[in-house]
Amino acid sequence: MGWNNFGLFITGSLISWLIGVTMPLFSEKLKQKDTKIILFTALGIIVLLVFIIQLWINLDRPPLRTLGETRLWYSFFLPLIGLVIFIRWRLHWLLTYSLAMSLLFLLINLLKPETHDQTLMPALQSFWFIPHVLVYIFAYAILAASALVATHSLFVHKFQKQSIKNLDKADQLVYLGFAFLSLGLIFGALWAKEAWGHYWTWDPKETWALLTWLFYLLYIHLRYHRPQKLKLHSWVLGLSFAVLLICWFGVNYLATGANSVHTYGAN
Amino acid sequence: MQKEVEVSGKKKGKYRQSLVVVGLVMIAGLLLDLIGFTPIKMPAFPFNLYWGLGFINLMLISYLAFRNHRWLVWLSSVPASVAAIIFYTFLILSMGFIPQEGNADGMIGAFRLDQVISSWSFFLLQLFFLITLGMVTLKRSIPFKWKNWGFILNHLGLWLIIFAAALGSGDFKRLKMAIPEGESENVAVAENNQAYRMPFSIGLQDFMIREYPPKLALINLKERKIISTVMINASNPDNSYQLLDWKVNITPSIMHHTTGLVQDTNGEEKSKFLVIASQNGQQHTGNLTPGAGAEANLMQLSNQRALTILPPEPQEFISEITLSQHELQKEALVKVNHPVKFAGWNIYQFSYDQAAGKHSKYTVLELIRDPWLPVIYFALGMMTIGAIYLGWMANQEKSKHHGVE
């Protein structure tokens, strides 16, 4: 069967996820509602798993060789991790985000079948490729949400002249995002050892990833020690996200970024 | 209320004090570089191990003997940690902006901010970081309480990584070895051109580049852009492909049925494809050759569209080698992302004769030795569990004993 009935499987996942995320609109009791969200999300994930297993059998090799196949794994793991976080923290928006991202990857595969042929350069053909990218997708999304909380606090403080009440929500997100950020650095180090011979070479992208990590580390320690300095901490949190953005988009434009090994496809 | 202000004021004072002390550490480092003190270099085994054991002993003894002394109380306090993070971050920020090539003029060069890793300020700040991180870890570990396990994994893990990476840099070796096909080599060269005789030799049977099958591409002539591609698939039954609204049928001279590569009767993997392209009943016929320059190898379909075959992209760089040490012999394939371990060394595919491409007659391997790696992996394992703990607990624990420090 291979990729032949891909559309059918996507539709299956899409329907169960739609039922899942719109559940809050129909169900009254909170507890029951969450259980249903979890069940329907899981169902959609199982549909994808069945597709991957049959593809694996059909290709007679792990489907890990092309860009399209890589995306398929993102689509599978995104909702899975989103679901685990949902079960723990009940972050509805994050579950919806992970389902939407998953569907986006699935749709690209469906609408652009030629990407199934798009080859991976040797440096990217590694066990670590998918976990490394996945944890960063979560880290960046969660930390972006924490930056929104900080910006909102500062906005309210500045224009509505209200004092910032607390940063508990931001703290929770930073701890969670920081965990993913740490995993990203660790997986990156393990991959670098396999690909470039050393777990840490101060490549510009590595340097900026470490800087991002250090800024959030600073935030966590500041919060721990003097939780009442809400305004200062909101600024630190906003600044941390700016560093994250430099790491994500900006490195290639810096003087130091010219010889980064992370600059793929430049020639 | 009065009390709260007092506490807050005290904490503020502690921050100021910490920033001043750690700032002085950094200034001391910058001055040492300015004067031109030789940068410190980690000695090799066993001296790095002695240094490390001495350092751990000193930390343990000072902690156990003077844990209530105000200096040690300060060293294991949050303000000291925050100050250490701030100045360490500051130094790494300079690495983020200044290219680390060691050739900057003026103040940047004088303070060695163009080679931070070998500067005194980096050394001293890293040392301070290790001391305060170590003291914090000791404070939470002695006496041991189970509720601190996540904290200890994260802090001890990070401490161990910095510690082992610093000591390990004294033993880390990165050498290059070029081997011609059919020959054997046992000398490798370091970055400073120093040659090393290896305890084993490596023979190269063959260097290969496995390629993906070539791709058929539809080109927009006006914008000179590829607008659609499809991989030529040896197992495609009717040799027919769809590129946007063009239906393309290509017949190779001889298609290698397992690799999908195209070969002509000489075995040369550059053969002509007979191409028939059609759109709305209009038909074009021509020839295309994979791998040739795109300019010379276009089949024009209309004013704006043309077909070409893109040069195949590399899938794998492979060195087929034999490793021998005394009687011991081992055959192995070295590929990018798949190093081979032998006699305490990791062997990586590094380079080849790029002008000759897949016909390269030699390979360049990278030989790396890092005996401290198991410690690093152990510490990374600790931090992995620590990170999962952090994500699972988030700020729950903090809100429980809020402000206790």
Side-chain angles (χ1 to χ4, degrees):
Chain A
M1 185 173 77
W3 286 96
N4 286 343
N5 292 322
F6 186 47
L8 212 63
F9 280 89
I10 296 185
T11 317
S13 296
L14 175 69
I15 291 172
S16 44
W17 290 345
L18 272 180
I19 299 174
V21 293
T22 52
M23 198 50 77
L25 304 175
F26 307 115
S27 203
E28 307 266 299
K29 286 184 194 138
L30 194 77
K31 185 125 192 193
Q32 260 181 6
K33 188 178 75 184
D34 280 355
T35 316
K36 281 182 190 154
I37 293 177
I38 292 168
L39 282 178
F40 279 102
T41 309
L43 184 67
I45 297 172
I46 292 168
V47 171
L48 274 184
L49 182 64
V50 171
F51 178 79
I52 293 176
I53 291 172
Q54 72 78 25
L55 184 69
W56 192 324
I57 295 169
N58 190 272
L59 293 172
D60 205 18
R61 61 168 172 83
L64 269 169
R65 205 174 284 169
T66 69
L67 206 57
E69 289 164 8
T70 310
R71 285 206 197 102
L72 193 59
W73 288 102
Y74 296 154
S75 308
F76 171 71
F77 279 110
L78 275 162
L80 192 64
I81 299 171
L83 186 62
V84 172
I85 299 175
F86 180 78
I87 290 171
R88 174 68 178 132
W89 293 117
R90 305 288 144 138
L91 297 174
H92 285 86
W93 71 268
L94 189 69
L95 183 64
T96 313
Y97 162 81
S98 60
L99 296 179
M101 285 294 282
S102 165
L103 281 172
L104 179 71
F105 283 126
L106 290 172
L107 272 182
I108 298 175
N109 267 359
L110 185 69
L111 299 177
K112 294 200 160 254
E114 68 265 25
T115 55
H116 299 174
D117 288 345
Q118 208 152 340
T119 49
L120 290 177
M121 56 192 284
L124 293 181
Q125 292 168 29
S126 163
F127 167 80
W128 293 108
F129 185 28
I130 291 169
H132 181 67
V133 173
L134 269 174
V135 293
Y136 273 115
I137 291 180
F138 274 95
Y140 287 5
I142 295 165
L143 293 173
S146 76
L148 281 179
V149 176
T151 320
H152 179 251
S153 302
L154 287 171
F155 185 84
V156 167
H157 178 73
K158 174 103 180 150
F159 295 103
Q160 300 180 0
K161 305 288 172 207
Q162 291 174 22
S163 58
I164 303 169
K165 288 197 186 66
N166 67 61
L167 282 172
D168 288 350
K169 194 75 202 167
D171 289 351
Q172 184 198 21
L173 292 169
V174 169
Y175 272 85
L176 189 57
F178 185 76
F180 279 106
L181 211 55
S182 307
L183 291 178
L185 273 180
I186 294 167
F187 294 169
L190 294 172
W191 185 3
K193 181 70 204 171
E194 295 294 295
W196 303 318
H198 202 23
Y199 50 86
W200 197 263
T201 47
W202 296 103
D203 178 81
K205 194 85 170 183
E206 285 174 356
T207 302
W208 280 95
L210 178 64
L211 279 169
T212 312
W213 191 81
L214 284 169
F215 268 86
Y216 284 103
L217 188 72
L218 181 65
Y219 174 84
I220 288 175
H221 284 81
L222 285 172
R223 293 293 301 147
Y224 182 85
H225 192 48
R226 300 175 82 190
Q228 71 279 20
K229 300 290 276 181
L230 295 165
K231 198 177 153 197
L232 172 74
H233 296 166
S234 301
W235 278 109
V236 172
L237 190 49
L239 190 65
S240 304
F241 192 65
V243 176
L244 185 153
L245 289 179
I246 295 179
C247 177
W248 190 2
F249 297 115
V251 171
N252 297 351
Y253 302 101
L254 292 172
T256 45
N259 14 3
S260 170
V261 286
H262 276 85
T263 316
Y264 293 114
N267 36 8
Chain B
M1 192 66 203
Q2 182 64 35
K3 205 175 168 200
E4 218 168 80
V5 175
E6 223 169 79
V7 170
S8 173
K10 252 189 193 164
K11 284 185 173 178
K12 207 173 189 175
K14 268 190 164 178
Y15 269 102
R16 200 170 294 151
Q17 182 190 10
S18 304
L19 288 171
V20 168
V21 173
V22 186
L24 284 174
V25 170
M26 175 151 166
I27 291 171
L30 290 173
L31 285 177
L32 283 174
D33 279 320
L34 189 64
I35 301 168
F37 256 62
T38 327
I40 230 163
K41 237 186 135 189
M42 186 56 68
F45 184 83
F47 299 101
N48 51 356
L49 185 65
Y50 297 159
W51 276 104
L53 291 177
F55 180 68
I56 292 179
N57 268 317
L58 204 63
M59 293 252 302
L60 268 175
I61 292 168
S62 352
Y63 180 76
L64 293 175
F66 308 108
R67 61 190 302 172
N68 293 322
H69 190 283
R70 62 194 175 99
W71 288 6
L72 283 192
V73 171
W74 172 71
L75 271 174
S76 59
S77 71
V78 178
S81 311
V82 165
I85 298 172
I86 287 178
F87 281 99
Y88 191 67
T89 305
F90 181 75
L91 209 53
I92 293 179
L93 259 179
S94 69
M95 283 179 74
F97 285 110
I98 303 165
Q100 299 291 302
E101 284 151 10
N103 54 7
D105 308 319
M107 294 311 270
I108 289 177
F111 288 130
R112 295 181 81 87
L113 292 178
D114 56 345
Q115 38 186 331
V116 170
I117 296 308
S118 60
S119 71
W120 274 97
S121 35
F122 186 76
F123 172 77
L124 291 180
L125 277 178
Q126 187 128 297
L127 189 64
F128 185 83
F129 201 104
L130 269 183
I131 292 171
T132 143
L133 182 57
M135 287 300 172
V136 172
T137 313
L138 284 172
K139 189 164 99 180
R140 280 283 189 111
S141 310
I142 307 172
F144 179 77
K145 289 192 195 109
W146 269 110
K147 71 175 173 86
N148 286 335
W149 70 271
F151 181 98
I152 293 172
L153 280 180
N154 275 318
H155 289 74
L156 187 58
L158 180 61
W159 187 88
L160 208 52
I161 288 174
I162 302 175
F163 179 73
L167 293 187
S169 67
D171 292 322
F172 184 80
K173 290 239 159 38
R174 187 194 280 268
L175 311 173
K176 308 254 185 322
M177 183 188 267
I179 318 164
E181 270 180 1
E183 289 180 36
S184 187
E185 181 61 86
N186 69 350
V187 173
V189 181
E191 220 143 300
N192 57 7
N193 283 331
Q194 196 185 342
Y196 288 83
R197 187 163 300 278
M198 304 303 296
F200 53 85
S201 65
I202 306 178
L204 178 69
Q205 269 87 59
D206 194 11
F207 172 77
M208 295 165 277
I209 299 182
R210 283 241 323 264
E211 288 170 332
Y212 287 107
K215 280 181 193 164
L216 194 62
L218 187 65
I219 290 181
N220 179 333
L221 285 173
K222 216 164 154 196
E223 294 169 27
R224 309 187 69 78
K225 251 171 60 183
I226 296 171
I227 48 179
S228 177
T229 61
V230 62
M231 195 178 276
I232 297 170
N233 185 348
S235 55
N236 185 336
D238 55 354
N239 292 320
S240 148
Y241 301 88
Q242 193 74 34
L243 284 147
L244 300 182
D245 47 352
W246 287 89
K247 188 170 184 288
V248 183
N249 192 291
I250 60 174
T251 329
S253 319
I254 298 169
M255 176 97 73
H256 197 281
H257 51 274
T258 51
T259 63
L261 290 172
V262 183
Q263 296 182 321
D264 63 15
T265 38
N266 303 325
E268 193 56 31
E269 286 165 357
K270 274 185 183 173
S271 172
K272 277 187 176 161
F273 284 93
L274 177 66
V275 182
I276 304 168
S278 55
Q279 181 202 34
N280 308 330
Q282 256 188 313
Q283 209 174 64
H284 299 257
T285 311
N287 283 308
L288 284 174
T289 309
E295 269 318 319
N297 193 30
L298 279 179
M299 178 178 148
Q300 195 154 353
L301 302 174
S302 68
N303 286 343
Q304 286 149 28
R305 297 283 180 272
L307 273 178
T308 190
I309 292 184
L310 301 173
E313 289 162 42
Q315 181 176 16
E316 274 176 330
F317 303 100
I318 310 168
S319 292
E320 198 185 329
I321 58 169
T322 310
L323 295 145
S324 25
Q325 184 180 35
H326 312 302
E327 315 306 59
L328 188 66
Q329 275 219 343
K330 185 181 161 189
E331 307 264 318
L333 294 178
V334 185
K335 303 183 219 172
V336 172
N337 259 320
H338 300 279
V340 169
K341 287 185 178 62
F342 190 72
W345 290 76
N346 277 6
I347 300 161
Y348 295 81
Q349 178 62 47
F350 183 72
S351 186
Y352 58 98
D353 181 353
Q354 298 195 1
K358 60 204 277 188
H359 303 296
S360 170
K361 290 283 168 245
Y362 65 86
T363 187
V364 183
L365 302 177
E366 196 166 47
L367 312 181
I368 290 177
R369 198 177 130 78
D370 187 4
W372 294 75
L373 195 61
V375 185
I376 298 282
Y377 279 172
F378 180 73
L380 287 175
M382 288 172 82
M383 284 198 78
T384 304
I385 303 171
I388 294 168
Y389 167 86
L390 210 61
W392 194 254
M393 295 307 291
N395 54 343
Q396 298 260 305
E397 195 195 358
K398 188 187 75 176
S399 28
K400 252 190 284 163
H401 49 95
H402 200 86
V404 180
E405 184 52 44

